[in-house]
Amino acid sequence: MNTIAEHIADFLKEYPPFDNLTFQELYNIATNIRVINLEKHAVLFQNNDILHDSFYVVSSGIINLTTVADAEETIVNKCHEGDIFGLRPFFAKNNYMMTAKAREESIVYAIPIAVFRPYVVNNSDVLNFLLESFAINSRHTKDNVNSGNKLVSDNVFYSDTQSEMQYIQSLNYNNSPLTTTGDKIIKDVAILMTDAMVDNIVVCENNNPIGILTDADLSSKIATGRYPITATIDKIMSSPVVTVIENVSLAEAQLLMLKHNVTHLCVTKDGTNKSVVKGIISEHDLIVAQASNPGVLIKEIKRSQLPKDLKQIRDRLSDLIQNSIQKNITISHVCNIANEINLALIKRAIELTILDLGSPPARFAWLSIGSQGRKEQLLLTDQDSILIFEDVTPEKYREVKDYFLRLAKRTTSLLEKVGYEYCPNGHMASNMLWCKSLTDWIKQYNSWMNTPGENSNDLSSIFFDYEIVFGEPKIEEAVENVIFKNSINNPLFFDFLGNDALKKNSPLSFFKKFILEEEGPYKMKFDIKTRALMPLIDSARLLILSFNIKGINNTYLRFKQLAISDSKNAEIYLSCAEAFLTLLKFRTIEGLKNDDSGQYINIKELSKADKEKLKNALAPMRDLEELIKSKFQLTQFS
């Protein structure tokens, strides 16, 4: 036996997915492996390089995977001993989208894909591991494989959400494919394909697909003389054909092509070969679809110069959200993706305004507040924002504030053209009330929190849901520190927020009937925002502030964290987390259907099952209300 190959096989069997293979299989793979020694900072491949014929395993050292955005290099993953990386050649045909660089002296094993592919195709555990590693960029090592996937941070857009999107993206493909029957002569069919300028034809029997003929079949079986050109095509067609359903996603199509080692998929009415052909998906279609992934959308946003360019991208995001709902993708995943693209659009609007106005006279932070700040904006609702600039000398204050008001007015106007309506309550950075210095903002939060009953008309709880979009993170941190400092031992503030959270009208009557609007344009409709979502949003905010938990602004994640921090009430919090996602999905479906905010649900149009699902999502609210009354000793409500 080759002792080096034996040593490599021994190493590989300690790590997934290789632990699913026999030692003999690993030894066979190891004999084809190239051992690569990398000096510190050496680059194995970089962004936009042509794909290699191998993928890689770290034998020793650390490999950093990085992306470059806005001339800034960001580490999206660190690969340690036993980690696999560079899987893109398995699943995509376009170039690398990351750079792999040695952080220290390292040794990596290059495993040729052609050698490893048969083990992937024949072993579903290996296939699933590779797909998962590519799709959600999880890292499995010997130390953490038993403790679950170690996911890259949600903040790292290029790894997590980009691949997530591949499960949402629908494919555009030829929905008028050429078809024929198996008894046709090869020469005639080849002429037909040439005239139609296509590289494939589906072979049918009683309108159902039984095989496919491609240019590759003609090259390998006719041009080589194995079969005469006068033979019938059933002799050389590839059979059986791999079939899929009509709304197959990009990732699913990639997986099937890999699994069956084919270059075309046949789309049928029910996804089997027992129904009518509806289309054909080629490898080329997958390459084209790659151009619509979030990474590409973000790049397009960064290159955009006009509001109409940004609007077109926001419209494409709406299509992606709609596709995800149809595919039953977890709504929290969709929120992550939508949030990244919404933030990129807002950031670009600010950048374009700065390019127009000239450099800011002071450092500042632009914060999205409300649903954008909570990463919950799936529909095109109104914009909510604040602007905080650093403290400047009194003589400069007026001039600096004037600049930032101009910046905010132009930015909000640009965003309105993109499709984000103005906030009807004026909660925008373009309002001089919400564009001011850090000291003024600290005074504002101190006033709101320490004397909440006085002059509180301008206090909206959305000011406590925020996310920095552009500017100086330390400014956001300063505001956050003030909020959480004021949260300690402040019963007056929590009494005010608690009453505010509980004063929303009940969603169900005593007899468990939906309480509908009694008059106005939405008469006999259910206000899912005011009666269902807002009580959950307000309660999660109230509780997260009371437990002094920083850095979590999303309602679903707030409830999940509360279940850990207040474990005796974990069941209530977890029920509320799931309820929130269900309600958000109902609202999103309604909004997409009617091209509006989705606030008012027509209960009559819901199926019996959906009515029950909606009622069940409202059930935890009673327990949550009792918990809040008890915790904050609230007995009278305003």
Side-chain angles (χ1 to χ4, degrees):
M1 263 196 170
N2 178 333
T3 52
I4 295 174
E6 199 173 345
H7 172 75
I8 293 172
D10 278 332
F11 172 84
L12 291 177
K13 71 177 169 46
E14 296 295 321
Y15 299 96
F18 309 106
D19 55 357
N20 290 293
L21 302 176
T22 66
F23 183 81
Q24 185 59 51
E25 288 172 327
L26 290 173
Y27 181 78
N28 293 342
I29 293 164
T31 57
N32 291 282
I33 280 176
R34 283 184 301 121
V35 180
I36 302 174
N37 293 288
L38 295 171
E39 294 180 5
K40 187 176 181 179
H41 302 318
V43 173
L44 183 60
F45 57 78
Q46 59 188 19
N47 186 45
N48 217 28
D49 275 0
I50 293 170
L51 299 179
H52 296 181
D53 61 0
S54 302
F55 70 101
Y56 301 97
V57 181
V58 180
S59 171
S60 64
I62 300 173
I63 304 294
N64 284 347
L65 300 181
T66 64
T67 62
V68 176
D70 295 337
E72 187 178 324
E73 192 172 42
T74 303
I75 295 176
V76 296
N77 212 343
K78 292 178 184 177
C79 299
H80 300 260
E81 183 181 307
D83 283 349
I84 59 175
F85 67 98
L87 285 169
R88 179 159 286 275
F90 260 119
F91 297 97
K93 303 297 178 193
N94 52 344
N95 297 349
Y96 284 111
M97 298 183 76
M98 289 186 189
T99 295
K101 185 190 292 186
R103 183 178 168 187
E104 55 192 50
E105 280 191 32
S106 305
I107 298 172
V108 299
Y109 295 144
I111 304 179
I113 285 169
V115 171
F116 198 66
R117 191 184 296 276
Y119 301 105
V120 177
V121 172
N122 297 321
N123 190 314
S124 60
D125 290 333
V126 175
L127 176 60
N128 290 339
F129 179 89
L130 290 188
L131 184 69
E132 188 179 343
S133 296
F134 181 73
I136 40 178
N137 211 354
S138 59
R139 290 176 52 241
H140 296 243
T141 65
K142 189 161 63 173
D143 295 332
N144 67 21
V145 71
N146 293 322
S147 60
N149 301 350
K150 185 176 177 185
L151 294 179
V152 176
S153 160
D154 281 343
N155 297 327
V156 181
F157 177 79
Y158 284 99
S159 56
D160 221 8
T161 48
Q162 176 179 307
S163 301
E164 240 169 51
M165 183 60 87
Q166 295 183 343
Y167 280 94
I168 295 170
Q169 275 181 270
S170 287
L171 281 161
N172 289 322
Y173 52 83
N174 179 7
N175 52 19
S176 303
L178 278 187
T179 60
T180 186
T181 53
D183 57 357
K184 292 291 189 290
I185 302 299
I186 293 168
K187 180 183 176 182
D188 297 337
V189 174
I191 292 169
L192 188 63
M193 289 167 63
T194 303
D195 289 346
M197 292 189 294
V198 295
D199 65 356
N200 64 84
I201 189 165
V202 183
V203 186
C204 295
E205 189 176 278
N206 299 325
N207 290 325
N208 297 340
I210 57 168
I212 186 169
L213 182 73
T214 67
D215 279 353
D217 294 314
L218 294 172
S219 301
S220 63
K221 297 167 187 174
I222 302 300
T224 57
R226 285 169 59 196
Y227 293 89
I229 202 163
T230 52
T232 52
I233 63 168
D234 58 350
K235 301 291 191 297
I236 67 164
M237 69 183 183
S238 299
S239 181
V241 65
V242 181
T243 54
V244 293
I245 53 173
E246 289 184 73
N247 64 345
V248 67
S249 72
L250 172 58
E252 289 162 337
Q254 285 175 322
L255 170 58
L256 285 165
M257 282 191 189
L258 170 71
K259 185 172 183 177
H260 297 284
N261 198 19
V262 296
T263 56
H264 293 80
L265 302 172
C266 183
V267 181
T268 64
K269 192 168 184 181
D270 67 0
T272 74
N273 59 5
K274 304 289 186 225
S275 66
V276 178
V277 175
K278 305 290 283 186
I280 198 83
I281 298 170
S282 67
E283 277 189 315
H284 175 73
D285 297 325
L286 301 192
I287 295 165
V288 171
Q290 292 283 347
S292 294
N293 71 31
V296 174
L297 286 182
I298 295 283
K299 284 179 183 173
E300 284 185 32
I301 289 167
K302 288 175 178 172
R303 289 196 299 266
S304 295
Q305 298 294 327
L306 300 168
K308 67 180 178 63
D309 300 331
L310 296 175
K311 185 177 190 317
Q312 184 191 45
I313 294 167
R314 184 58 186 79
D315 291 343
R316 281 158 66 188
L317 173 60
S318 295
D319 294 339
L320 289 168
I321 291 169
Q322 187 136 22
N323 287 335
S324 73
I325 298 292
Q326 289 169 350
K327 287 180 167 299
N328 214 21
I329 302 297
T330 309
I331 202 90
S332 56
H333 286 340
V334 186
C335 283
N336 284 341
I337 293 160
N339 177 65
E340 292 291 349
I341 293 174
N342 280 323
L343 287 185
L345 287 164
I346 298 165
K347 185 178 180 184
R348 186 58 182 160
I350 298 166
E351 287 170 349
L352 290 174
T353 306
I354 289 173
L355 286 170
D356 205 23
L357 287 179
S359 297
R363 286 178 297 180
F364 74 103
W366 181 291
L367 272 56
S368 278
I369 59 173
S371 62
Q372 280 179 346
R374 293 191 304 271
K375 305 180 185 178
E376 292 162 7
Q377 190 183 45
L378 289 173
L379 300 162
L380 267 171
T381 51
D382 56 308
Q383 45 179 307
D384 297 290
S385 57
I386 62 174
L387 192 150
I388 309 165
F389 55 87
E390 67 181 342
D391 292 324
V392 293
T393 56
E395 61 269 21
K396 280 188 175 178
Y397 184 90
R398 185 65 198 223
E399 175 195 335
V400 169
K401 179 158 182 169
D402 282 350
Y403 171 90
F404 284 116
L405 273 172
R406 287 202 310 279
L407 170 74
K409 281 175 180 168
R410 287 205 194 183
T411 301
T412 53
S413 172
L414 196 159
L415 288 170
E416 197 260 345
K417 292 183 177 77
V418 173
Y420 301 96
E421 293 178 7
Y422 289 125
C423 173
N425 300 313
H427 294 144
M428 293 182 296
S430 53
N431 182 337
M432 62 186 302
L433 285 173
W434 314 131
C435 173
K436 47 195 176 189
S437 70
L438 180 57
T439 292
D440 286 345
W441 270 111
I442 288 171
K443 286 178 185 171
Q444 180 71 76
Y445 276 100
N446 282 335
S447 169
W448 277 338
M449 297 183 75
N450 296 321
T451 55
E454 301 170 23
N455 302 318
S456 60
N457 291 340
D458 61 355
L459 169 53
S460 172
S461 48
I462 65 168
F463 288 98
F464 296 91
D465 300 331
Y466 48 84
E467 180 173 28
I468 188 166
V469 178
F470 190 98
E472 178 55 58
K474 284 189 169 56
I475 293 177
E476 182 198 31
E477 285 171 28
V479 167
E480 183 174 63
N481 289 337
V482 168
I483 290 171
F484 281 92
K485 182 183 170 189
N486 281 330
S487 295
I488 300 167
N489 300 323
N490 192 344
L492 197 64
F493 174 63
F494 288 113
D495 183 69
F496 184 87
L497 274 194
N499 280 313
D500 193 52
L502 296 179
K503 73 182 181 186
K504 305 286 191 298
N505 294 326
S506 175
L508 296 174
S509 70
F510 181 77
F511 297 104
K512 298 287 188 288
K513 300 269 189 192
F514 292 104
I515 295 180
L516 308 178
E517 298 301 290
E518 293 179 1
E519 53 191 27
Y522 302 106
K523 188 176 179 180
M524 301 309 291
K525 289 190 175 181
F526 178 65
D527 184 349
I528 195 169
K529 177 186 174 183
T530 309
R531 292 181 181 271
L533 284 163
M534 289 314 298
L536 289 173
I537 291 165
D538 290 343
S539 300
R541 180 194 305 111
L542 164 71
L543 289 159
I544 215 83
L545 286 169
S546 74
F547 280 99
N548 223 254
I549 299 166
K550 290 185 180 181
I552 304 178
N553 292 328
N554 175 269
T555 304
Y556 172 73
L557 295 178
R558 280 172 167 171
F559 280 125
K560 297 285 274 190
Q561 181 59 47
L562 287 166
I564 297 167
S565 303
D566 182 18
S567 56
K568 67 178 183 296
N569 293 307
E571 195 177 331
I572 295 173
Y573 297 133
L574 292 174
S575 297
C576 288
E578 293 308 313
F580 177 77
L581 292 185
T582 301
L583 293 166
L584 186 61
K585 187 172 180 179
F586 268 105
R587 181 181 179 181
T588 305
I589 290 169
E590 191 72 17
L592 291 169
K593 185 172 73 180
N594 300 314
D595 196 26
D596 62 16
S597 70
Q599 181 169 348
Y600 295 93
I601 304 280
N602 191 337
I603 297 292
K604 289 179 182 174
E605 290 180 0
L606 295 183
S607 67
K608 189 177 179 183
D610 278 345
K611 283 179 190 170
E612 280 306 305
K613 194 184 288 184
L614 184 54
K615 275 185 186 173
N616 290 339
L618 302 172
M621 290 170 65
R622 184 60 58 85
D623 291 334
L624 183 65
E625 186 179 316
E626 293 304 318
L627 187 156
I628 289 171
K629 283 181 187 175
S630 169
K631 179 172 173 58
F632 300 102
Q633 299 174 340
L634 303 173
T635 51
Q636 293 180 324
F637 309 114
S638 53

